[in-house]
Amino acid sequence: TNGEKNGESIGYYENGKVKKEGYVDAFTNFYEGELKEYYETGTLKAKYNYVDGYLDGNQYYYDEKGIETKIEKYDYGYLVN
């Protein structure tokens, strides 16, 4: 089940826990700003940053215990590291 309200976009797992949450620009229908993705347990899986629908800046990835495992840097959609 997915819900959109005032640009907020939230996806859910079947168990009712949040799968991902972020903001979708109503005009472009692209992600904008921070998008968070979660494991089915509810633990944070990743934090992405979007500009105009493109990954931009640092993207953070976490293991199932919530420990940061990787950081990727993007420049307007292009991986730079």
Side-chain angles (χ1 to χ4, degrees), residues 1-12 22-26 29 31:
T1 305
N2 292 327
E4 281 191 30
K5 181 180 175 185
N6 296 329
E8 186 178 23
S9 177
I10 303 175
Y12 297 91
Y23 177 83
V24 175
D25 184 284
N29 205 32
Y31 283 117

Side-chain angles (χ1 to χ4, degrees), residues 2-80:
N2 292 327
E4 281 191 30
K5 181 180 175 185
N6 296 329
E8 186 178 23
S9 177
I10 303 175
Y12 297 91
Y13 286 105
E14 287 185 17
N15 66 11
K17 294 207 183 245
V18 174
K19 183 175 186 176
K20 65 180 178 178
E21 60 183 345
Y23 177 83
V24 175
D25 184 284
F27 181 73
T28 63
N29 205 32
F30 293 147
Y31 283 117
E32 192 67 43
E34 187 173 73
L35 172 71
K36 292 181 181 178
E37 188 174 13
Y38 299 90
Y39 289 102
E40 201 163 350
T41 60
T43 303
L44 184 63
K45 183 177 186 179
K47 285 194 300 188
Y48 308 102
N49 187 60
Y50 284 88
V51 173
D52 299 330
Y54 294 98
L55 288 171
D56 193 69
N58 290 337
Q59 317 304 314
Y60 300 92
Y61 301 88
Y62 304 88
D63 67 15
E64 292 187 13
K65 295 179 182 175
I67 297 170
E68 187 178 284
T69 57
K70 180 170 64 169
I71 299 174
E72 292 179 336
K73 185 175 176 78
Y74 280 79
D75 184 11
Y76 208 66
Y78 293 96
L79 182 64
V80 293

